[in-house]
Amino acid sequence: MQQAIIKPFNQRLATPLTPLWHEVYQAGDEIIILFEAEAMLINGERYQNSYAWFFTMQHGKVSRVRAVLDLHAFDRVMAIELEDK
């Protein structure tokens, strides 16, 4: 996932992604984190998105992570052309 999604996404950010946490819920081994995040993009536009991350814990460690976000906003970031270096 790091090479396929996170690295290409981060290459299009001019500033680090800044989260604004809203809520954290826990029920047994399930943890849900609701937050928004924003950053400036390399094309000068601002990225904003809302997220819900679902963590499943086993023996004190994360065993599964699922993320829900606005894919239209994410796709707009990924459509930015990168300059060859």
Side-chain angles (χ1 to χ4, degrees):
M1 183 160 97
Q2 171 71 22
Q3 293 299 318
I5 297 172
I6 296 171
K7 184 177 178 182
F9 180 81
N10 286 341
Q11 289 176 317
R12 291 161 171 81
L13 301 182
T15 64
L17 201 59
T18 304
L20 172 62
W21 303 102
H22 290 295
E23 299 289 337
V24 177
Y25 301 96
Q26 181 175 4
D29 290 337
E30 297 292 322
I31 299 171
I32 303 169
I33 301 173
L34 303 176
F35 67 99
E36 294 180 40
E38 65 179 41
M40 290 303 295
L41 301 172
I42 59 173
N43 66 0
E45 295 180 17
R46 191 166 110 185
Y47 170 77
Q48 290 180 291
N49 211 334
S50 298
Y51 295 83
W53 282 10
F54 299 80
F55 295 86
T56 302
M57 307 296 290
Q58 286 184 332
H59 310 292
K61 295 183 179 181
V62 176
S63 63
R64 182 176 178 192
V65 178
R66 297 165 308 258
V68 178
L69 62 143
D70 178 353
L71 286 178
H72 293 291
F74 177 84
D75 287 344
R76 284 192 297 273
V77 173
M78 297 304 283
I80 297 171
E81 294 290 329
L82 295 175
E83 294 181 17
D84 292 333
K85 293 184 178 183

